[in-house]
mmCIF file of all heavy atoms in Angstrom:
data_model
loop_
_atom_site.group_PDB
_atom_site.id
_atom_site.type_symbol
_atom_site.label_atom_id
_atom_site.label_comp_id
_atom_site.label_asym_id
_atom_site.label_seq_id
_atom_site.Cartn_x
_atom_site.Cartn_y
_atom_site.Cartn_z
ATOM 1 N N GLU A 312 100.558 113.966 114.866
ATOM 2 C CA GLU A 312 102.037 114.158 115.457
ATOM 3 C C GLU A 312 102.958 113.283 114.794
ATOM 4 O O GLU A 312 104.157 113.773 114.451
ATOM 5 C CB GLU A 312 101.953 113.975 116.997
ATOM 6 C CG GLU A 312 101.105 115.031 117.685
ATOM 7 C CD GLU A 312 101.533 116.491 117.306
ATOM 8 O OE1 GLU A 312 102.717 116.722 117.227
ATOM 9 O OE2 GLU A 312 100.596 117.328 117.179
ATOM 10 N N PRO A 313 102.857 111.969 114.697
ATOM 11 C CA PRO A 313 103.983 111.279 114.085
ATOM 12 C C PRO A 313 104.229 111.649 112.680
ATOM 13 O O PRO A 313 105.369 111.611 112.180
ATOM 14 C CB PRO A 313 103.365 109.720 114.051
ATOM 15 C CG PRO A 313 102.275 109.671 115.147
ATOM 16 C CD PRO A 313 101.797 111.139 115.268
ATOM 17 N N HIS A 314 103.207 111.960 111.982
ATOM 18 C CA HIS A 314 103.427 112.393 110.560
ATOM 19 C C HIS A 314 104.158 113.729 110.514
ATOM 20 O O HIS A 314 105.009 113.937 109.728
ATOM 21 C CB HIS A 314 102.100 112.625 109.846
ATOM 22 C CG HIS A 314 102.155 113.142 108.485
ATOM 23 N ND1 HIS A 314 102.688 112.458 107.353
ATOM 24 C CD2 HIS A 314 101.928 114.288 107.933
ATOM 25 C CE1 HIS A 314 102.707 113.066 106.360
ATOM 26 N NE2 HIS A 314 102.178 114.347 106.567
ATOM 27 N N ILE A 315 103.861 114.678 111.395
ATOM 28 C CA ILE A 315 104.581 115.857 111.510
ATOM 29 C C ILE A 315 105.995 115.727 111.830
ATOM 30 O O ILE A 315 106.867 116.325 111.162
ATOM 31 C CB ILE A 315 103.799 116.928 112.437
ATOM 32 C CG1 ILE A 315 102.465 117.246 111.910
ATOM 33 C CG2 ILE A 315 104.747 118.161 112.761
ATOM 34 C CD1 ILE A 315 101.607 118.028 113.008
ATOM 35 N N GLU A 316 106.188 114.831 112.829
ATOM 36 C CA GLU A 316 107.684 114.658 113.206
ATOM 37 C C GLU A 316 108.418 114.006 112.021
ATOM 38 O O GLU A 316 109.616 114.370 111.812
ATOM 39 C CB GLU A 316 107.675 113.677 114.408
ATOM 40 C CG GLU A 316 107.157 114.416 115.679
ATOM 41 C CD GLU A 316 107.119 113.432 116.829
ATOM 42 O OE1 GLU A 316 107.539 112.306 116.750
ATOM 43 O OE2 GLU A 316 106.494 113.878 117.834
ATOM 44 N N GLN A 317 107.800 113.115 111.296
ATOM 45 C CA GLN A 317 108.440 112.423 110.187
ATOM 46 C C GLN A 317 108.820 113.478 109.060
ATOM 47 O O GLN A 317 109.866 113.389 108.528
ATOM 48 C CB GLN A 317 107.578 111.326 109.596
ATOM 49 C CG GLN A 317 108.124 110.675 108.434
ATOM 50 C CD GLN A 317 107.164 109.770 107.752
ATOM 51 O OE1 GLN A 317 105.947 109.727 107.991
ATOM 52 N NE2 GLN A 317 107.629 108.774 106.977
ATOM 53 N N ARG A 318 107.840 114.405 108.887
ATOM 54 C CA ARG A 318 108.036 115.402 107.767
ATOM 55 C C ARG A 318 109.198 116.373 108.232
ATOM 56 O O ARG A 318 109.986 116.824 107.428
ATOM 57 C CB ARG A 318 106.793 116.247 107.511
ATOM 58 C CG ARG A 318 105.708 115.301 106.936
ATOM 59 C CD ARG A 318 106.002 114.720 105.582
ATOM 60 N NE ARG A 318 106.084 115.648 104.655
ATOM 61 C CZ ARG A 318 106.692 115.533 103.343
ATOM 62 N NH1 ARG A 318 106.971 114.430 102.973
ATOM 63 N NH2 ARG A 318 106.785 116.520 102.540
ATOM 64 N N ILE A 319 109.181 116.763 109.475
ATOM 65 C CA ILE A 319 110.304 117.590 109.995
ATOM 66 C C ILE A 319 111.757 116.888 109.909
ATOM 67 O O ILE A 319 112.640 117.465 109.370
ATOM 68 C CB ILE A 319 110.114 118.022 111.421
ATOM 69 C CG1 ILE A 319 108.942 118.837 111.587
ATOM 70 C CG2 ILE A 319 111.375 118.603 112.132
ATOM 71 C CD1 ILE A 319 108.422 119.137 113.023
ATOM 72 N N GLN A 320 111.727 115.577 110.183
ATOM 73 C CA GLN A 320 112.924 114.831 109.993
ATOM 74 C C GLN A 320 113.350 114.707 108.527
ATOM 75 O O GLN A 320 114.524 114.966 108.226
ATOM 76 C CB GLN A 320 112.779 113.418 110.743
ATOM 77 C CG GLN A 320 114.021 112.596 110.564
ATOM 78 C CD GLN A 320 113.796 111.163 111.057
ATOM 79 O OE1 GLN A 320 112.712 110.863 111.502
ATOM 80 N NE2 GLN A 320 114.891 110.398 111.202
ATOM 81 N N MET A 321 112.499 114.556 107.720
ATOM 82 C CA MET A 321 112.727 114.524 106.194
ATOM 83 C C MET A 321 113.270 115.768 105.755
ATOM 84 O O MET A 321 114.241 115.870 104.958
ATOM 85 C CB MET A 321 111.497 114.023 105.445
ATOM 86 C CG MET A 321 111.162 112.501 105.567
ATOM 87 S SD MET A 321 109.535 112.225 104.833
ATOM 88 C CE MET A 321 109.802 112.621 103.199
ATOM 89 N N ARG A 322 112.632 116.905 106.224
ATOM 90 C CA ARG A 322 113.033 118.207 105.715
ATOM 91 C C ARG A 322 114.397 118.517 106.257
ATOM 92 O O ARG A 322 115.306 119.020 105.469
ATOM 93 C CB ARG A 322 112.071 119.214 106.269
ATOM 94 C CG ARG A 322 112.283 120.653 105.926
ATOM 95 C CD ARG A 322 112.057 120.960 104.434
ATOM 96 N NE ARG A 322 112.291 122.308 104.241
ATOM 97 C CZ ARG A 322 112.444 122.862 103.015
ATOM 98 N NH1 ARG A 322 112.342 122.068 102.048
ATOM 99 N NH2 ARG A 322 112.605 124.035 102.866
ATOM 100 N N THR A 323 114.731 118.125 107.490
ATOM 101 C CA THR A 323 116.143 118.339 108.026
ATOM 102 C C THR A 323 117.126 117.618 107.286
ATOM 103 O O THR A 323 118.158 118.225 106.922
ATOM 104 C CB THR A 323 116.072 117.977 109.607
ATOM 105 O OG1 THR A 323 115.010 118.682 110.309
ATOM 106 C CG2 THR A 323 117.411 118.313 110.250
ATOM 107 N N GLU A 324 116.844 116.393 106.988
ATOM 108 C CA GLU A 324 117.788 115.546 106.208
ATOM 109 C C GLU A 324 118.099 116.143 104.907
ATOM 110 O O GLU A 324 119.193 116.164 104.350
ATOM 111 C CB GLU A 324 117.303 114.119 106.096
ATOM 112 C CG GLU A 324 117.202 113.349 107.387
ATOM 113 C CD GLU A 324 116.660 112.009 107.403
ATOM 114 O OE1 GLU A 324 116.171 111.642 106.189
ATOM 115 O OE2 GLU A 324 116.570 111.344 108.330
ATOM 116 N N TRP A 325 116.955 116.690 104.168
ATOM 117 C CA TRP A 325 117.074 117.239 102.829
ATOM 118 C C TRP A 325 117.863 118.505 102.941
ATOM 119 O O TRP A 325 118.759 118.646 102.067
ATOM 120 C CB TRP A 325 115.740 117.546 102.337
ATOM 121 C CG TRP A 325 115.641 118.002 100.905
ATOM 122 C CD1 TRP A 325 115.751 117.313 99.844
ATOM 123 C CD2 TRP A 325 115.567 119.414 100.570
ATOM 124 N NE1 TRP A 325 115.846 118.190 98.731
ATOM 125 C CE2 TRP A 325 115.593 119.401 99.211
ATOM 126 C CE3 TRP A 325 115.484 120.599 101.300
ATOM 127 C CZ2 TRP A 325 115.527 120.663 98.576
ATOM 128 C CZ3 TRP A 325 115.404 121.738 100.604
ATOM 129 C CH2 TRP A 325 115.456 121.747 99.196
ATOM 130 N N LEU A 326 117.707 119.312 103.936
ATOM 131 C CA LEU A 326 118.537 120.473 104.062
ATOM 132 C C LEU A 326 119.950 120.291 104.325
ATOM 133 O O LEU A 326 120.758 120.983 103.850
ATOM 134 C CB LEU A 326 117.849 121.382 105.200
ATOM 135 C CG LEU A 326 116.595 122.053 104.809
ATOM 136 C CD1 LEU A 326 115.964 122.859 106.068
ATOM 137 C CD2 LEU A 326 116.720 123.091 103.754
ATOM 138 N N GLN A 327 120.228 119.236 105.099
ATOM 139 C CA GLN A 327 121.582 118.817 105.407
ATOM 140 C C GLN A 327 122.238 118.529 104.115
ATOM 141 O O GLN A 327 123.519 118.653 103.906
ATOM 142 C CB GLN A 327 121.688 117.744 106.473
ATOM 143 C CG GLN A 327 121.334 118.318 107.799
ATOM 144 C CD GLN A 327 121.313 117.219 108.860
ATOM 145 O OE1 GLN A 327 121.350 116.021 108.558
ATOM 146 N NE2 GLN A 327 121.097 117.632 110.089
ATOM 147 N N ARG A 328 121.650 117.633 103.286
ATOM 148 C CA ARG A 328 122.268 117.252 101.996
ATOM 149 C C ARG A 328 122.437 118.479 101.040
ATOM 150 O O ARG A 328 123.362 118.368 100.224
ATOM 151 C CB ARG A 328 121.290 116.220 101.270
ATOM 152 C CG ARG A 328 121.312 114.785 101.893
ATOM 153 C CD ARG A 328 120.694 113.803 100.963
ATOM 154 N NE ARG A 328 119.309 114.224 100.731
ATOM 155 C CZ ARG A 328 118.263 113.644 101.151
ATOM 156 N NH1 ARG A 328 118.286 112.691 101.996
ATOM 157 N NH2 ARG A 328 117.006 113.996 100.738
ATOM 158 N N GLN A 329 121.648 119.388 101.106
ATOM 159 C CA GLN A 329 121.838 120.554 100.260
ATOM 160 C C GLN A 329 123.035 121.444 100.608
ATOM 161 O O GLN A 329 123.515 122.129 99.841
ATOM 162 C CB GLN A 329 120.550 121.498 100.310
ATOM 163 C CG GLN A 329 119.278 120.763 99.807
ATOM 164 C CD GLN A 329 119.322 120.265 98.327
ATOM 165 O OE1 GLN A 329 119.966 121.025 97.487
ATOM 166 N NE2 GLN A 329 118.900 119.054 98.149
ATOM 167 N N THR A 330 123.392 121.377 101.907
ATOM 168 C CA THR A 330 124.611 122.164 102.164
ATOM 169 C C THR A 330 125.856 121.561 102.127
ATOM 170 O O THR A 330 126.137 120.452 101.889
ATOM 171 C CB THR A 330 124.419 122.730 103.683
ATOM 172 O OG1 THR A 330 124.343 121.725 104.548
ATOM 173 C CG2 THR A 330 123.347 123.663 103.767
#
Side-chain angles (χ1 to χ4, degrees):
E312 294 306 319
H314 176 71
I315 292 170
E316 291 172 12
Q317 179 187 20
R318 297 299 295 171
I319 290 171
Q320 183 182 6
M321 288 173 60
R322 179 76 174 160
T323 305
E324 291 171 2
W325 182 81
L326 286 172
Q327 287 174 352
R328 284 195 304 255
Q329 297 299 319
T330 57

